[in-house]
Amino acid sequence: MRDTRLQRLRTLPLLGLLAALLLPLGLTLAPGAAAAPAAADPVRVMPLGDSITGSPGCWRALLWNRLLDAGHTDIDFVGTLPAQGCGVEHDGDNEGHGGELVTRVADQNLLPARLAATRPDIVVMHFGTNDVWSNVSPDRILTAYTRLVGQMRESDPDIRVLVAQIIPMNPGTCAACGRRVMDLNARIPAWAAATSTDRSPVTVVDQWTGFDTATDTYDGVHPNGAGNEKIAARWFPALAALLEAGVPDDPEEPGDAGCTASFRAVSTWQGGYQAEVTVRNTSAAPVTGWRVTVVPADGARVSQVWNGVLGTAADGTATVTHAQWNGTLAPGASAAFGLIATTPATSPAPAATVGCTATS
């Protein structure tokens, strides 16, 4: 199927040129020849990750053409990087930087400029392979995920995010990588549930199950032709469902207000730490209440909260709702609450996965 969006882009300039030639002669286009009304903007989809996404990332070409064949022609893959091969006609723009760590992108604040340049409506993220290879802990990777999603929501409060449970790894130089991938993937669904909101949902796509590094990669890490087919097939139903749902039209509609939460360690001691969580209204409408989930890393438990109301589940997940005096936030405004957590004696630096939902 041909991309009708591209056909429109070619046709409209010709109509404009014809009009420019006729006007000096006092002629106008007949009603039947008038230019068609401008079409709605295409849905902008950012493929985000490392070399598995970007170089050459041929699953993107397969996914693009599968979407077109299913009738999803008003789409635009976006990114600051151009197409990187594959030999298949497709929209190759992407944000897959070879060798990049998701923790580096978060720590060095690299994503906001890329979002500003591309303005995605949907992000398709397969990220963390290089972190796993570098023995970065799942806690740090998920903390980086949380920061990136927060930055995405600052760019667009209605952004939708698809996050992969990443494909398996079995490189010859990293015997432990296979287990590390499993450890990370096991944590992603709970992280997504804590991070997702009604306005900006985070959906997990299982790219791990059924993917065989012996038959689906050429080096134990990067997908071959068969692997690219599997990756595209897994992304397709989740992305197609978002495209069918459409881009929200009115970010200020009552009930759609959103917020983000960020975690910051304040001080630590043997067996515990103090931290601060900042809640920010990222919508264009006031919110009158918020709820934050806090999932402490490495077996820590939240034991005390101030400027909020604490509830704790059996698995250690803490839920903090606003106090009477800090629930109402104007657009762009923020509030903070403090917490004390107890930790095992051998716990590393404080970390937690936080997510926020708000009411208007």
Side-chain angles (χ1 to χ4, degrees), residues 93-180:
D93 296 334
N94 71 95
E95 209 63 64
H97 296 253
E100 197 152 69
L101 281 70
V102 67
T103 48
R104 175 178 174 270
V105 173
D107 292 344
Q108 298 188 11
N109 208 35
L110 300 178
L111 186 60
R114 299 171 184 177
L115 293 168
T118 56
R119 300 177 293 104
D121 302 299
I122 299 171
V123 173
V124 174
M125 185 171 86
H126 184 289
F127 221 165
T129 298
N130 291 303
D131 302 81
V132 169
W133 204 329
S134 301
N135 199 19
V136 177
S137 71
D139 291 326
R140 284 192 59 204
I141 294 171
L142 294 176
T143 297
Y145 281 8
T146 300
R147 183 167 186 180
L148 296 193
V149 171
Q151 292 170 341
M152 294 172 196
R153 288 171 176 163
E154 289 176 2
S155 170
D156 178 2
D158 296 301
I159 201 162
R160 281 82 50 84
V161 186
L162 300 180
V163 176
Q165 289 175 292
I166 65 174
I167 63 174
M169 293 175 62
N170 188 27
T173 57
C174 183
C177 278
R179 169 54 60 182
R180 292 176 196 163

Coordinates of all heavy atoms in Angstrom, one line a residue, residues 93-180:
D93 N 13.5 7.7 10.2 CA 13.9 8.6 11.3 C 13.7 7.8 12.6 O 12.7 7.1 12.8 CB 13.0 9.9 11.3 CG 13.2 10.7 10.1 OD1 14.2 10.7 9.5 OD2 12.2 11.5 9.7
N94 N 14.7 8.0 13.5 CA 14.7 7.2 14.7 C 15.6 7.9 15.8 O 16.3 8.8 15.5 CB 15.2 5.8 14.5 CG 16.6 5.7 14.2 OD1 17.5 5.5 15.1 ND2 17.0 5.9 12.9
E95 N 15.5 7.4 17.0 CA 16.3 7.9 18.1 C 17.1 6.7 18.7 O 17.1 6.5 19.9 CB 15.4 8.6 19.1 CG 16.1 9.6 19.9 CD 16.6 10.8 19.1 OE1 15.8 11.5 18.4 OE2 17.8 11.0 19.0
G96 N 17.6 5.8 17.9 CA 18.4 4.7 18.3 C 19.9 4.9 18.2 O 20.4 4.8 17.1
H97 N 20.5 5.3 19.3 CA 21.9 5.6 19.3 C 22.8 4.4 19.7 O 22.7 3.9 20.8 CB 22.2 6.8 20.2 CG 21.5 8.1 19.8 ND1 22.2 9.1 19.3 CD2 20.2 8.4 19.9 CE1 21.3 10.1 19.0 NE2 20.1 9.7 19.4
G98 N 23.6 3.9 18.8 CA 24.4 2.8 19.0 C 25.4 3.0 20.2 O 26.0 4.0 20.4
G99 N 25.4 2.0 21.1 CA 26.2 2.0 22.3 C 25.7 2.8 23.4 O 26.4 2.9 24.5
E100 N 24.5 3.4 23.3 CA 24.1 4.3 24.3 C 23.4 3.5 25.5 O 22.8 2.5 25.3 CB 23.0 5.3 23.8 CG 22.8 6.5 24.6 CD 22.4 7.7 23.8 OE1 21.2 7.7 23.3 OE2 23.1 8.7 23.7
L101 N 23.7 4.1 26.7 CA 23.1 3.5 27.9 C 21.9 4.4 28.3 O 22.0 5.6 28.3 CB 24.1 3.5 29.1 CG 25.1 2.4 29.2 CD1 26.1 2.5 28.0 CD2 25.8 2.4 30.5
V102 N 20.8 3.8 28.7 CA 19.6 4.6 29.2 C 20.0 5.4 30.4 O 19.5 6.5 30.6 CB 18.4 3.7 29.4 CG1 18.6 2.7 30.6 CG2 17.2 4.5 29.5
T103 N 20.9 4.8 31.3 CA 21.2 5.6 32.5 C 22.1 6.8 32.1 O 22.0 7.9 32.7 CB 22.0 4.7 33.4 OG1 23.1 4.0 32.7 CG2 21.1 3.7 34.1
R104 N 22.9 6.7 31.0 CA 23.7 7.9 30.6 C 22.7 9.0 30.0 O 22.9 10.2 30.3 CB 24.7 7.5 29.5 CG 25.4 8.7 28.9 CD 26.5 8.2 27.9 NE 27.1 9.3 27.2 CZ 26.7 9.9 26.1 NH1 25.6 9.4 25.5 NH2 27.3 10.9 25.6
V105 N 21.7 8.6 29.2 CA 20.8 9.5 28.7 C 20.1 10.3 29.8 O 19.9 11.5 29.7 CB 19.8 8.8 27.7 CG1 18.7 9.7 27.3 CG2 20.5 8.2 26.5
A106 N 19.7 9.5 30.8 CA 19.0 10.2 32.0 C 19.9 11.0 32.8 O 19.6 12.2 33.1 CB 18.4 9.1 32.9
D107 N 21.1 10.5 33.1 CA 22.1 11.3 33.9 C 22.6 12.5 33.3 O 22.8 13.6 33.9 CB 23.3 10.4 34.3 CG 22.9 9.2 35.3 OD1 21.8 9.3 35.8 OD2 23.7 8.3 35.4
Q108 N 22.7 12.5 32.0 CA 23.3 13.7 31.2 C 22.2 14.5 30.6 O 22.4 15.4 29.8 CB 24.3 13.2 30.2 CG 25.5 12.5 30.8 CD 26.6 12.2 29.8 OE1 26.5 12.7 28.6 NE2 27.6 11.4 30.1
N109 N 20.9 14.2 30.9 CA 19.8 15.0 30.4 C 19.8 15.2 28.9 O 19.5 16.3 28.4 CB 19.8 16.3 31.1 CG 18.5 17.0 31.3 OD1 17.5 16.3 31.5 ND2 18.4 18.3 31.2
L110 N 20.0 14.1 28.2 CA 20.1 14.1 26.7 C 18.7 14.1 26.0 O 18.6 14.6 24.9 CB 20.9 13.0 26.2 CG 22.4 12.9 26.7 CD1 23.0 11.7 26.2 CD2 23.1 14.2 26.4
L111 N 17.7 13.6 26.7 CA 16.4 13.4 25.9 C 15.6 14.7 25.7 O 15.0 14.8 24.6 CB 15.6 12.4 26.7 CG 14.3 12.0 26.0 CD1 14.6 11.3 24.6 CD2 13.4 11.0 26.9
P112 N 15.6 15.7 26.6 CA 14.7 16.8 26.3 C 15.0 17.5 25.0 O 14.0 17.9 24.3 CB 15.0 17.7 27.5 CG 15.3 16.8 28.6 CD 16.1 15.7 27.9
A113 N 16.2 17.7 24.6 CA 16.5 18.3 23.3 C 16.0 17.5 22.1 O 15.5 18.0 21.1 CB 18.0 18.6 23.2
R114 N 16.1 16.2 22.3 CA 15.7 15.3 21.2 C 14.1 15.3 21.1 O 13.6 15.3 20.0 CB 16.2 13.9 21.4 CG 17.7 13.8 21.5 CD 18.2 12.4 21.9 NE 19.6 12.4 22.1 CZ 20.3 11.3 22.5 NH1 19.7 10.2 22.9 NH2 21.7 11.4 22.6
L115 N 13.5 15.4 22.2 CA 12.0 15.6 22.2 C 11.6 16.9 21.6 O 10.6 16.9 20.8 CB 11.5 15.4 23.6 CG 11.6 14.1 24.3 CD1 11.3 14.2 25.8 CD2 10.7 13.0 23.7
A116 N 12.3 18.0 22.0 CA 11.9 19.3 21.4 C 12.1 19.3 19.9 O 11.3 20.0 19.2 CB 12.8 20.3 22.1
A117 N 13.0 18.6 19.4 CA 13.3 18.6 17.9 C 12.3 17.8 17.2 O 12.1 17.9 15.9 CB 14.7 18.1 17.6
T118 N 11.6 16.8 17.8 CA 10.8 15.8 17.1 C 9.3 15.8 17.5 O 8.5 15.3 16.8 CB 11.4 14.4 17.3 OG1 11.5 14.1 18.7 CG2 12.8 14.4 16.6
R119 N 9.0 16.2 18.7 CA 7.7 16.3 19.3 C 6.8 15.0 19.1 O 5.8 15.0 18.4 CB 6.9 17.5 18.6 CG 7.6 18.8 18.9 CD 6.9 20.0 18.2 NE 7.0 19.9 16.7 CZ 6.0 19.5 15.9 NH1 4.9 19.2 16.4 NH2 6.2 19.5 14.6
P120 N 7.3 13.9 19.6 CA 6.5 12.6 19.4 C 5.2 12.6 20.2 O 5.1 13.2 21.2 CB 7.5 11.6 19.9 CG 8.3 12.3 20.9 CD 8.5 13.7 20.4
D121 N 4.2 11.9 19.6 CA 3.0 11.6 20.3 C 3.1 10.3 21.0 O 2.4 10.0 22.0 CB 1.8 11.5 19.3 CG 1.6 12.8 18.5 OD1 1.4 13.9 19.2 OD2 1.8 12.8 17.3
I122 N 3.9 9.4 20.4 CA 4.1 8.0 21.0 C 5.6 7.7 21.0 O 6.3 8.0 20.0 CB 3.3 7.0 20.1 CG1 1.8 7.2 20.1 CG2 3.6 5.5 20.6 CD1 1.1 6.4 19.1
V123 N 6.0 7.1 22.0 CA 7.4 6.6 22.1 C 7.4 5.1 22.1 O 6.7 4.5 23.0 CB 8.2 7.2 23.3 CG1 9.6 6.6 23.4 CG2 8.3 8.7 23.1
V124 N 8.2 4.5 21.3 CA 8.4 3.0 21.3 C 9.8 2.8 21.8 O 10.8 3.0 21.0 CB 8.2 2.5 19.8 CG1 8.5 1.0 19.8 CG2 6.7 2.7 19.4
M125 N 10.0 2.3 23.0 CA 11.3 2.2 23.7 C 11.8 0.8 23.9 O 11.1 0.1 24.7 CB 11.2 3.0 25.0 CG 12.5 3.2 25.7 SD 12.5 4.3 27.1 CE 12.0 3.2 28.4
H126 N 12.9 0.5 23.3 CA 13.6 -0.8 23.7 C 15.0 -0.3 24.1 O 15.9 0.0 23.3 CB 13.7 -1.7 22.4 CG 14.4 -3.0 22.7 ND1 15.7 -3.1 23.0 CD2 13.9 -4.3 22.8 CE1 16.0 -4.4 23.2 NE2 14.9 -5.1 23.1
F127 N 15.2 -0.2 25.4 CA 16.4 0.4 26.0 C 16.9 -0.3 27.2 O 16.1 -0.7 28.1 CB 16.0 1.9 26.3 CG 17.0 2.9 26.0 CD1 16.7 4.3 26.0 CD2 18.4 2.6 25.7 CE1 17.6 5.3 25.6 CE2 19.3 3.6 25.3 CZ 18.9 4.9 25.3
G128 N 18.2 -0.4 27.3 CA 18.8 -1.0 28.5 C 19.8 -2.1 28.2 O 20.5 -2.6 29.1
T129 N 20.0 -2.5 27.0 CA 20.9 -3.6 26.6 C 22.3 -3.3 27.0 O 23.0 -4.1 27.6 CB 20.8 -3.9 25.1 OG1 19.5 -4.3 24.8 CG2 21.8 -5.0 24.7
N130 N 22.8 -2.1 26.7 CA 24.1 -1.7 27.1 C 24.3 -1.5 28.6 O 25.4 -1.8 29.1 CB 24.5 -0.4 26.3 CG 24.7 -0.6 24.8 OD1 25.4 -1.5 24.4 ND2 23.9 0.1 24.1
D131 N 23.3 -1.1 29.3 CA 23.3 -1.0 30.7 C 23.5 -2.4 31.3 O 24.3 -2.6 32.2 CB 22.1 -0.4 31.2 CG 21.8 1.0 30.7 OD1 21.3 1.1 29.5 OD2 22.2 2.0 31.3
V132 N 22.7 -3.4 30.8 CA 22.8 -4.7 31.3 C 24.2 -5.3 31.0 O 24.9 -5.9 31.9 CB 21.8 -5.6 30.6 CG1 22.1 -7.1 30.9 CG2 20.4 -5.3 31.1
W133 N 24.8 -5.0 29.9 CA 26.1 -5.5 29.5 C 27.1 -4.8 30.4 O 28.1 -5.4 30.8 CB 26.4 -5.1 28.0 CG 27.4 -5.9 27.4 CD1 28.5 -6.6 28.0 CD2 27.5 -6.3 26.0 NE1 29.2 -7.3 27.0 CE2 28.6 -7.1 25.8 CE3 26.7 -6.0 24.9 CZ2 29.0 -7.6 24.6 CZ3 27.1 -6.5 23.7 CH2 28.2 -7.3 23.5
S134 N 26.9 -3.6 30.9 CA 27.8 -2.9 31.8 C 27.5 -3.2 33.2 O 28.1 -2.5 34.1 CB 27.7 -1.4 31.5 OG 28.0 -1.1 30.2
N135 N 26.7 -4.1 33.5 CA 26.3 -4.6 34.9 C 25.7 -3.4 35.7 O 26.0 -3.3 36.9 CB 27.6 -5.2 35.6 CG 27.2 -6.0 36.8 OD1 26.0 -6.5 36.9 ND2 28.1 -6.2 37.7
V136 N 24.9 -2.6 35.1 CA 24.1 -1.6 35.8 C 22.9 -2.3 36.4 O 22.3 -3.1 35.7 CB 23.7 -0.5 34.8 CG1 22.8 0.5 35.6 CG2 24.9 0.2 34.2
S137 N 22.6 -2.0 37.6 CA 21.6 -2.7 38.3 C 20.2 -2.3 37.7 O 20.0 -1.3 37.2 CB 21.6 -2.3 39.8 OG 21.1 -1.0 40.0
P138 N 19.2 -3.3 37.9 CA 17.9 -3.0 37.4 C 17.3 -1.7 38.1 O 16.5 -1.0 37.5 CB 17.1 -4.2 37.8 CG 18.1 -5.3 37.8 CD 19.3 -4.7 38.3
D139 N 17.6 -1.5 39.4 CA 17.1 -0.3 40.1 C 17.5 1.0 39.4 O 16.7 1.9 39.2 CB 17.6 -0.3 41.5 CG 17.0 -1.4 42.4 OD1 15.8 -1.7 42.1 OD2 17.7 -1.9 43.2
R140 N 18.8 1.0 39.0 CA 19.3 2.2 38.3 C 18.7 2.4 36.9 O 18.3 3.5 36.5 CB 20.8 2.2 38.2 CG 21.6 2.5 39.5 CD 23.0 2.8 39.2 NE 23.2 3.9 38.3 CZ 24.3 4.0 37.5 NH1 25.3 3.1 37.5 NH2 24.4 5.1 36.7
I141 N 18.5 1.3 36.2 CA 17.9 1.3 34.9 C 16.4 1.8 35.0 O 16.0 2.7 34.2 CB 17.9 -0.1 34.2 CG1 19.4 -0.4 33.9 CG2 17.1 -0.1 32.9 CD1 19.6 -1.9 33.5
L142 N 15.7 1.3 36.0 CA 14.3 1.7 36.1 C 14.2 3.1 36.6 O 13.2 3.8 36.2 CB 13.6 0.7 37.1 CG 13.4 -0.7 36.6 CD1 12.8 -1.6 37.6 CD2 12.6 -0.8 35.3
T143 N 15.1 3.6 37.4 CA 15.1 5.0 37.8 C 15.3 5.9 36.6 O 14.7 6.9 36.4 CB 16.2 5.2 38.8 OG1 15.9 4.5 40.0 CG2 16.3 6.7 39.2
A144 N 16.2 5.4 35.7 CA 16.4 6.2 34.4 C 15.1 6.1 33.6 O 14.8 7.2 33.0 CB 17.6 5.6 33.6
Y145 N 14.5 5.0 33.5 CA 13.2 4.9 32.7 C 12.2 6.0 33.3 O 11.6 6.7 32.5 CB 12.6 3.5 32.9 CG 13.1 2.4 32.1 CD1 14.2 2.5 31.3 CD2 12.4 1.2 32.1 CE1 14.7 1.5 30.5 CE2 12.9 0.1 31.3 CZ 14.0 0.3 30.6 OH 14.4 -0.8 29.8
T146 N 12.1 6.0 34.6 CA 11.2 7.0 35.2 C 11.5 8.4 34.9 O 10.6 9.2 34.5 CB 11.2 6.8 36.8 OG1 10.8 5.5 37.1 CG2 10.2 7.8 37.4
R147 N 12.8 8.7 34.9 CA 13.2 10.1 34.5 C 12.9 10.4 33.1 O 12.4 11.5 32.7 CB 14.7 10.3 34.8 CG 15.1 11.7 34.5 CD 16.5 12.0 35.0 NE 16.8 13.5 34.9 CZ 18.0 14.0 35.2 NH1 18.9 13.3 35.8 NH2 18.2 15.3 35.0
L148 N 13.1 9.5 32.2 CA 12.8 9.7 30.8 C 11.3 9.9 30.5 O 10.9 10.7 29.8 CB 13.3 8.5 29.9 CG 14.8 8.3 29.9 CD1 15.2 7.4 28.7 CD2 15.6 9.6 29.7
V149 N 10.5 9.0 31.2 CA 9.0 9.2 31.0 C 8.6 10.6 31.6 O 7.7 11.2 31.0 CB 8.3 8.1 31.7 CG1 6.8 8.3 31.8 CG2 8.6 6.7 31.0
G150 N 9.2 11.0 32.7 CA 8.9 12.3 33.2 C 9.2 13.4 32.2 O 8.4 14.4 32.0
Q151 N 10.3 13.3 31.5 CA 10.7 14.3 30.5 C 9.8 14.2 29.3 O 9.5 15.2 28.7 CB 12.2 14.0 30.1 CG 13.2 14.4 31.2 CD 14.6 13.9 30.9 OE1 14.8 13.1 30.1 NE2 15.5 14.5 31.7
M152 N 9.4 13.0 28.9 CA 8.4 12.9 27.8 C 7.1 13.6 28.2 O 6.6 14.3 27.3 CB 8.1 11.4 27.6 CG 9.3 10.6 27.0 SD 8.9 8.8 27.0 CE 10.5 8.1 26.8
R153 N 6.7 13.5 29.4 CA 5.4 14.1 29.8 C 5.6 15.6 29.9 O 4.6 16.3 29.7 CB 4.9 13.5 31.1 CG 4.4 12.1 30.9 CD 4.1 11.4 32.2 NE 3.5 10.1 32.0 CZ 3.4 9.1 32.9 NH1 3.9 9.3 34.1 NH2 2.9 8.0 32.6
E154 N 6.8 16.1 30.2 CA 7.0 17.5 30.2 C 6.9 18.0 28.7 O 6.4 19.2 28.5 CB 8.3 17.9 30.8 CG 8.4 17.7 32.3 CD 9.8 17.9 32.9 OE1 10.7 18.3 32.1 OE2 10.0 17.7 34.1
S155 N 7.3 17.2 27.8 CA 7.2 17.6 26.4 C 5.8 17.5 25.9 O 5.3 18.4 25.1 CB 8.1 16.6 25.5 OG 7.8 16.8 24.1
D156 N 5.0 16.5 26.3 CA 3.6 16.3 25.9 C 2.9 15.5 27.1 O 3.2 14.3 27.2 CB 3.5 15.5 24.6 CG 2.1 15.2 24.2 OD1 1.2 15.7 24.9 OD2 1.9 14.6 23.2
P157 N 2.1 16.2 27.8 CA 1.4 15.5 29.0 C 0.6 14.3 28.5 O 0.2 13.4 29.3 CB 0.5 16.6 29.6 CG 1.2 17.8 29.2 CD 1.8 17.6 27.8
D158 N 0.2 14.2 27.2 CA -0.6 13.1 26.7 C 0.2 12.0 26.0 O -0.4 11.2 25.4 CB -1.7 13.7 25.7 CG -2.7 14.6 26.4 OD1 -3.3 14.2 27.3 OD2 -2.7 15.8 26.0
I159 N 1.5 12.1 26.1 CA 2.3 11.1 25.4 C 2.0 9.7 25.8 O 1.7 9.4 27.0 CB 3.8 11.5 25.6 CG1 4.6 10.9 24.4 CG2 4.3 11.0 27.0 CD1 6.0 11.5 24.3
R160 N 2.0 8.8 24.9 CA 1.8 7.4 25.1 C 3.2 6.7 25.0 O 3.9 7.0 24.0 CB 0.8 6.7 24.2 CG -0.7 7.0 24.5 CD -1.2 8.3 24.1 NE -1.0 8.7 22.7 CZ -1.8 8.2 21.7 NH1 -2.8 7.5 21.9 NH2 -1.5 8.6 20.4
V161 N 3.5 5.7 25.8 CA 4.8 5.1 25.8 C 4.6 3.6 25.8 O 3.9 3.0 26.6 CB 5.6 5.5 27.1 CG1 7.0 4.9 27.0 CG2 5.6 7.0 27.3
L162 N 5.3 2.9 24.8 CA 5.4 1.5 24.7 C 6.8 1.1 25.2 O 7.8 1.6 24.6 CB 5.2 1.0 23.3 CG 3.8 1.2 22.7 CD1 3.7 0.6 21.3 CD2 2.7 0.7 23.6
V163 N 7.0 0.3 26.2 CA 8.3 -0.1 26.8 C 8.5 -1.6 26.6 O 7.6 -2.4 27.0 CB 8.4 0.3 28.2 CG1 9.7 -0.1 28.8 CG2 8.3 1.8 28.4
A164 N 9.6 -2.0 26.1 CA 9.9 -3.4 25.8 C 10.5 -4.1 27.1 O 11.3 -3.5 27.8 CB 10.8 -3.6 24.7
Q165 N 10.0 -5.3 27.3 CA 10.9 -6.2 28.0 C 11.9 -6.7 27.0 O 11.5 -7.3 26.0 CB 10.0 -7.4 28.6 CG 9.1 -7.0 29.8 CD 8.2 -8.1 30.2 OE1 7.3 -8.5 29.5 NE2 8.4 -8.6 31.4
I166 N 13.1 -6.3 27.2 CA 14.1 -6.3 26.1 C 14.4 -7.8 25.7 O 14.3 -8.7 26.4 CB 15.4 -5.6 26.5 CG1 16.1 -6.2 27.6 CG2 15.1 -4.1 26.8 CD1 17.5 -5.6 28.0
I167 N 14.9 -7.9 24.4 CA 15.3 -9.2 23.9 C 16.4 -9.8 24.7 O 17.2 -9.1 25.3 CB 15.6 -9.1 22.4 CG1 16.8 -8.3 22.1 CG2 14.4 -8.6 21.6 CD1 17.3 -8.3 20.7
P168 N 16.5 -11.2 24.7 CA 17.6 -11.8 25.4 C 19.0 -11.5 24.9 O 19.1 -11.0 23.8 CB 17.3 -13.3 25.2 CG 15.9 -13.4 24.7 CD 15.6 -12.1 24.0
M169 N 20.0 -11.7 25.7 CA 21.4 -11.5 25.4 C 22.2 -12.7 25.7 O 22.0 -13.4 26.7 CB 22.0 -10.3 26.1 CG 21.4 -9.0 25.8 SD 22.1 -7.7 26.9 CE 23.9 -7.8 26.5
N170 N 23.1 -13.1 24.8 CA 24.0 -14.2 25.1 C 25.4 -13.9 24.3 O 25.8 -14.8 23.5 CB 23.4 -15.5 24.6 CG 24.3 -16.7 25.1 OD1 25.0 -16.6 26.0 ND2 24.2 -17.8 24.3
P171 N 26.0 -12.8 24.6 CA 27.3 -12.5 23.9 C 28.4 -13.4 24.5 O 28.4 -13.8 25.7 CB 27.5 -11.0 24.2 CG 26.8 -10.8 25.5 CD 25.6 -11.7 25.5
G172 N 29.4 -13.7 23.7 CA 30.5 -14.5 24.1 C 31.3 -14.0 25.3 O 32.0 -14.7 26.0
T173 N 31.2 -12.6 25.4 CA 32.1 -12.0 26.4 C 31.3 -11.6 27.7 O 31.8 -10.9 28.6 CB 32.7 -10.7 25.8 OG1 31.6 -9.8 25.4 CG2 33.6 -11.0 24.7
C174 N 30.1 -12.1 27.8 CA 29.3 -11.7 29.0 C 28.4 -12.9 29.4 O 27.2 -12.9 29.0 CB 28.4 -10.5 28.7 SG 27.5 -9.9 30.2
A175 N 28.9 -13.8 30.1 CA 28.2 -15.0 30.5 C 27.0 -14.7 31.4 O 26.0 -15.4 31.4 CB 29.1 -16.0 31.2
A176 N 27.1 -13.6 32.2 CA 26.0 -13.2 33.1 C 24.9 -12.4 32.5 O 23.9 -12.1 33.2 CB 26.6 -12.5 34.3
C177 N 25.1 -12.0 31.3 CA 24.1 -11.0 30.7 C 22.7 -11.6 30.5 O 21.7 -10.9 30.7 CB 24.6 -10.6 29.3 SG 25.8 -9.2 29.4
G178 N 22.7 -12.9 30.2 CA 21.4 -13.6 30.1 C 20.5 -13.4 31.3 O 19.3 -13.1 31.3
R179 N 21.1 -13.7 32.5 CA 20.4 -13.6 33.8 C 20.1 -12.2 34.1 O 19.0 -11.9 34.6 CB 21.3 -14.3 34.9 CG 20.8 -14.0 36.3 CD 19.4 -14.4 36.5 NE 19.1 -15.8 36.3 CZ 17.9 -16.4 36.4 NH1 16.9 -15.7 36.7 NH2 17.8 -17.7 36.1
R180 N 21.0 -11.3 33.8 CA 20.7 -9.9 34.1 C 19.5 -9.3 33.3 O 18.7 -8.5 33.8 CB 22.0 -9.0 33.7 CG 23.2 -9.3 34.6 CD 24.3 -8.5 34.1 NE 25.6 -8.9 34.7 CZ 26.8 -8.6 34.2 NH1 26.9 -7.8 33.1 NH2 27.9 -9.0 34.7

